[in-house]
Amino acid sequence: MEYNFRELEKKWQQQWKEDGVYKVPNQSGKPKFYVLDMFPYPSGAGLHVGHPLGYIASDIFARYKRLKGFNVLHPMGYDAFGLPAEQYAIEHGVHPAVSTAKNIATFRDQLDKIGFCYDWSREVNTSDPAYYKWTQWIFLQLFNSWYNRRSNRTEPIEGLVALFEKEGNAAHPVPNAQYLIPAHAGQVFSAADWSAFPESTKQGILMEYRVAYCGYGEVNWCEALGTVLANDEVVNGVSERGGYPVVKKKLRQWYLRITEYADRLLQGLETVDFSEAMKEMQSNWIGKSTGAEIRFEVRDASSSIVVYTTRPDTIFGVDFMVLAPEHELVAKITTADQKEAVNEYIGYVKSRSERERMAEKKISGAFTGAYALNPFNGKPIPVWISEYVLAGYGTGAIMAVPSGDERDHKFASHFNLPITNILGDAYNGSEANPTKDAVLSNSGFLDGMVMRDAIDVVIGKLEEMGIGKRKVNYKMRDAAFSRQRYWGEPFPVKWVNGVAYALPESELPLQLPYVESYRPGPEGEGPLANIPEWTARELETNTMPGYAGSSWYFLRYMDPRNETTFCDRQWSDYWQQVDLYVGGTEHAVGHLLYSRMWTKALYDLGLISFDEPFKKLLNQGMIQGSSRFVYRVRGTNQYVSAGLKEGYETDAIHVDVNIVDGFELDMEAFKTWKPDFADASFILEEGRYLCGAEVEKMSKSKFNTVNPDHIVDRYGADTFRMYEMFLGPVEMSKPWDTKGIEGVHRFLKKLWRLFFDEQKGKLVKDEAAKPEELKVLHRTIKKIEEDTERFSYNTAVSAFMVCVNELTDLKTHKRDVLEPLVILLAPYAPHIAEELWHQLGHTTTVLDAPFPAFDPQYLVETAKEYPVSINGKLRTQILIDLSASPEQVQALVMENAVVQKWMEGKPLKKFIFVKGKMVNVVV
RNA sequence: GCCCUGGUGGUGAAAUUGGUAGACACGCAGGACUUAAAAUCCUGUUUGCAGCAAUGCAAGUAUCGGUUCAAGUCCGAUCCGGGGCACCA
């Protein structure tokens, strides 16, 4: 009987499905464990070999935990709303629902071939009305809530209304001025005022407090895509998808008030197990800084300028001030003779696109003619405007300290402004020094003080004088939550006389209507604005962004078919947080931040019992493609081999990696690949055409994708799974390369031969195992357990190989050894393990077997001797690696052959335990 | 520019708290079985030197220096790659 993986894998995949072995009950006597993959966007291109890397890693862990006696939730679904399906619809006239359904079927088919243990009865699809009903419902919870800074919690809006009726809003000022309904910006009102306001004013005010709110703001508008993009969807001034230009535009938009959660999102990072890099990306994005707001009076004008600074200690070094060109005071304070220069400069700034501004950072600016006054010594400070000061951060105005800030220094040098040195020797006259440790000079009452200590002194003084206060700022902005698109969740919102009202819960889901055209509506509105029945009902025409459905999907898996609530509290209490979340780093500041915020809001509202969604995050690396190139001699249809291309003027052209063997091009396949190449001719080296190579992101357009189906077909799913793990650490990115796959495949065949012989048939015997065989087994148990726990799957695969090699050498065919080995292997190579398990006479799935127990007594001989110098005398140290209780260890050490030999005639000098796992014996 | 990572044979990579490098696999070379091929198995494979040989000696984890009985691992400086952020005051 030989290892027929094709037959065997097909058989078990079908059997598992029939028996429902991966169906997970919502309750059991076992402890729970939740393993989750970031669900895929079902693109038309299907899976390539890079996608399953994380899925295999999580699948191994899910199976392992099940063997360890956990009730494991391991679901899968689809993030099915989004731009690409709609772009595809525009270009090909296929309805997104149709292409999405087709893509999902392809994905499912490909996933099934790899043998994952997903509980498909829990599958979710964000574009399914039964799912987005609850996305809409959660949106309404956010819409009907406000963030109470006093209790630091999300609370129902009714409570706020009650507060307004009782005491007005003096105790609860408008949370931020980023995106406002302009008519009501920042008003303070009394209880009496409130009751006198007309309904529309009341609603306008409430909108300023809602967690999900609608306002006008500068948004990232992408003309080519016809929609607004979130900050994390814009990269270097162009759209992340498609690379189209993005401009700032003022539009009515929905937002999520994520800024109110900034501090909690930051603090929460300390309670979760994410990589340092991931935590840092998130905290950079949040961008918390502590400093002060300081008001400066303007000379000869009845205005004052409020600046934000993290360095109030440098206030005596302020040589000029800079406002953002868009700052509202610019027009007011500019003197008559500077008007022309200032207007010209503002015109210049407006003419520059976001892109240009980022690409070339020129020093530019204009003097307003106005002077502010230093509150401590009355010194006049010239006020400038410049694009290096951003309107959207802090107060849009800064106090410039050239001796301490590099940008201010460059600005001062460029415009020949005088520089005050407050740093003494720490300032060299040509370069700013941003230190906090210098001793202040030229600084009035601060002279002689260390800068770091002066910060609090200055803030105290400013507060005393009533012209400044301590202030915390965040770089993070409220998240844009609407898109002018069709293929997304409709907002359950109705507009009546310019006021947004929530749709009653009974009308959910608000279904996405069927359309023929996906053209944008008038004036930046979405395609839904083109549907008369929709606009007649006064419904919101925007749709929600891609991250809406993905912000809470991990909860839906717990209770996927519930029609009365998004997830029964009983089941979210049972499953709790995701214990292991596996996915790429690309969602660091998008999805991961949004879902953390939603979780906190739902927690505050008492809908779930935990406020961080993901306990541990494992970032898998990317599998890159290894692209191949042919070199076309310019102006011809002749192709020159890579080694000879220096002699010609050539263009490199991507060629499909599937028609290249290593580097050698299959020239006949090339000619039939595309019509353009049918009459290609070649310049060969040593009779062969060799391609050039480069490692790039795996992508259809680079012709470097490899379909996992082909690998599975040729070597089987078990080989494919183990090989992807064998390539290297899961977290590491690496180019795809099949050159080692034979070795993994050979391992499985060798394993098979421990059980079966082509002539002799079944080899397994029920004899008792010998100590050396058990030693091999227990060393493997220990290694596999440790490696699996720390996701070191590549070394685990190696450990299996070592084990099988050794058992083969020992000619071991004993059940006592082979049966535990099969269990160990079940997470990694589930099909062959299941087959062998049944061949050993079992009738239930191997996953219900208990994980083999490790017994340290078989490993005690692994002692090593080292010379060690103690108090100047050379002694010998014996190091024994084992894991057992200290008492056991002591007993084992005394029995150890090496120790006994050393003890002949002479007593132990010292006997030390080191760090629990290793034992030092000094003789 | 700032922050985070990493640098080990011909190749992918091991070495878990410092324990005496290169596990495992690929590739390559030689051999066995076979009429032959496939499959399978065995031997060798960091470098240099010595030896018919088993083997021995020396050097070696980007570079230089340090701590230690012992350093790929810890510390300091430099060089090179990968990722993130980038006028955030």
Side-chain angles (χ1 to χ4, degrees), chain A residues 715-731:
Chain A
Y715 297 101
D718 285 338
T719 300
F720 176 66
R721 291 167 61 107
M722 290 195 96
Y723 181 61
E724 287 232 346
M725 294 300 103
F726 186 68
L727 274 174
V730 198
E731 302 91 333

Short mmCIF file of all heavy atoms in Angstrom, two decimals, chain A residues 715-731:
data_model
loop_
_atom_site.label_atom_id
_atom_site.label_comp_id
_atom_site.label_asym_id
_atom_site.label_seq_id
_atom_site.Cartn_x
_atom_site.Cartn_y
_atom_site.Cartn_z
N TYR A 715 1.40 17.62 -5.19
CA TYR A 715 2.03 17.03 -4.00
C TYR A 715 1.05 16.71 -2.87
O TYR A 715 1.40 16.05 -1.90
CB TYR A 715 3.08 18.00 -3.43
CG TYR A 715 4.23 18.27 -4.37
CD1 TYR A 715 4.28 19.43 -5.12
CD2 TYR A 715 5.26 17.33 -4.50
CE1 TYR A 715 5.33 19.69 -5.97
CE2 TYR A 715 6.32 17.58 -5.35
CZ TYR A 715 6.35 18.75 -6.10
OH TYR A 715 7.40 19.00 -6.93
N GLY A 716 -0.16 17.26 -2.96
CA GLY A 716 -1.13 17.04 -1.89
C GLY A 716 -1.17 18.20 -0.92
O GLY A 716 -0.21 18.96 -0.77
N ALA A 717 -2.31 18.32 -0.23
CA ALA A 717 -2.53 19.43 0.71
C ALA A 717 -1.58 19.33 1.90
O ALA A 717 -1.07 20.34 2.38
CB ALA A 717 -3.97 19.43 1.19
N ASP A 718 -1.33 18.14 2.38
CA ASP A 718 -0.47 18.00 3.56
C ASP A 718 0.95 18.48 3.26
O ASP A 718 1.56 19.18 4.06
CB ASP A 718 -0.43 16.53 4.02
CG ASP A 718 -1.72 16.13 4.72
OD1 ASP A 718 -2.44 17.03 5.20
OD2 ASP A 718 -2.02 14.92 4.76
N THR A 719 1.46 18.09 2.10
CA THR A 719 2.79 18.56 1.71
C THR A 719 2.79 20.07 1.57
O THR A 719 3.70 20.75 2.06
CB THR A 719 3.22 17.92 0.37
OG1 THR A 719 3.23 16.51 0.53
CG2 THR A 719 4.58 18.40 -0.06
N PHE A 720 1.76 20.61 0.93
CA PHE A 720 1.67 22.05 0.74
C PHE A 720 1.66 22.79 2.08
O PHE A 720 2.38 23.76 2.28
CB PHE A 720 0.40 22.37 -0.06
CG PHE A 720 0.15 23.85 -0.24
CD1 PHE A 720 1.01 24.61 -1.01
CD2 PHE A 720 -0.93 24.46 0.37
CE1 PHE A 720 0.78 25.98 -1.17
CE2 PHE A 720 -1.16 25.81 0.21
CZ PHE A 720 -0.31 26.57 -0.56
N ARG A 721 0.83 22.31 3.00
CA ARG A 721 0.74 22.94 4.32
C ARG A 721 2.09 22.92 5.04
O ARG A 721 2.57 23.92 5.54
CB ARG A 721 -0.28 22.19 5.19
CG ARG A 721 -1.72 22.34 4.75
CD ARG A 721 -2.61 21.33 5.46
NE ARG A 721 -2.58 21.51 6.90
CZ ARG A 721 -3.58 22.02 7.62
NH1 ARG A 721 -4.69 22.38 7.03
NH2 ARG A 721 -3.46 22.17 8.91
N MET A 722 2.69 21.73 5.06
CA MET A 722 3.95 21.62 5.79
C MET A 722 5.05 22.40 5.10
O MET A 722 5.90 23.00 5.75
CB MET A 722 4.35 20.16 5.95
CG MET A 722 3.44 19.43 6.91
SD MET A 722 4.10 17.86 7.46
CE MET A 722 4.86 18.27 9.01
N TYR A 723 5.02 22.44 3.78
CA TYR A 723 6.06 23.17 3.08
C TYR A 723 5.96 24.67 3.33
O TYR A 723 6.97 25.34 3.55
CB TYR A 723 6.02 22.87 1.58
CG TYR A 723 7.10 23.61 0.84
CD1 TYR A 723 8.44 23.37 1.15
CD2 TYR A 723 6.80 24.57 -0.11
CE1 TYR A 723 9.44 24.06 0.51
CE2 TYR A 723 7.81 25.28 -0.75
CZ TYR A 723 9.12 25.02 -0.43
OH TYR A 723 10.13 25.71 -1.06
N GLU A 724 4.74 25.21 3.32
CA GLU A 724 4.60 26.65 3.59
C GLU A 724 5.13 26.99 4.99
O GLU A 724 5.69 28.05 5.20
CB GLU A 724 3.14 27.10 3.45
CG GLU A 724 2.67 27.16 2.02
CD GLU A 724 2.02 28.50 1.63
OE1 GLU A 724 1.69 29.28 2.53
OE2 GLU A 724 1.85 28.72 0.42
N MET A 725 4.93 26.06 5.92
CA MET A 725 5.43 26.31 7.27
C MET A 725 6.95 26.13 7.34
O MET A 725 7.63 26.80 8.09
CB MET A 725 4.77 25.35 8.26
CG MET A 725 3.29 25.56 8.44
SD MET A 725 2.88 27.22 9.04
CE MET A 725 2.30 28.01 7.57
N PHE A 726 7.45 25.22 6.53
CA PHE A 726 8.87 24.87 6.55
C PHE A 726 9.75 25.98 5.97
O PHE A 726 10.92 26.09 6.29
CB PHE A 726 9.06 23.59 5.74
CG PHE A 726 10.46 23.04 5.79
CD1 PHE A 726 10.97 22.53 6.98
CD2 PHE A 726 11.26 23.05 4.66
CE1 PHE A 726 12.26 22.01 7.02
CE2 PHE A 726 12.55 22.55 4.70
CZ PHE A 726 13.05 22.04 5.90
N LEU A 727 9.12 26.84 5.13
CA LEU A 727 9.87 27.90 4.44
C LEU A 727 10.63 28.83 5.38
O LEU A 727 11.64 29.41 5.01
CB LEU A 727 8.90 28.75 3.61
CG LEU A 727 8.57 28.26 2.21
CD1 LEU A 727 7.49 29.13 1.62
CD2 LEU A 727 9.80 28.28 1.34
N GLY A 728 10.12 29.03 6.58
CA GLY A 728 10.76 29.95 7.50
C GLY A 728 9.74 30.41 8.52
O GLY A 728 8.61 29.97 8.50
N PRO A 729 10.14 31.28 9.45
CA PRO A 729 9.20 31.75 10.47
C PRO A 729 7.96 32.40 9.84
O PRO A 729 8.08 33.08 8.83
CB PRO A 729 10.01 32.80 11.23
CG PRO A 729 11.43 32.47 10.98
CD PRO A 729 11.47 31.85 9.62
N VAL A 730 6.80 32.17 10.45
CA VAL A 730 5.53 32.68 9.90
C VAL A 730 5.56 34.20 9.73
O VAL A 730 5.01 34.73 8.77
CB VAL A 730 4.35 32.39 10.85
CG1 VAL A 730 3.03 32.53 10.13
CG2 VAL A 730 4.48 31.04 11.48
N GLU A 731 6.21 34.89 10.66
CA GLU A 731 6.18 36.36 10.63
C GLU A 731 7.03 36.92 9.49
O GLU A 731 6.91 38.08 9.15
CB GLU A 731 6.74 36.94 11.94
CG GLU A 731 6.01 36.50 13.19
CD GLU A 731 6.62 35.25 13.79
OE1 GLU A 731 7.22 34.45 13.03
OE2 GLU A 731 6.48 35.04 15.00
#
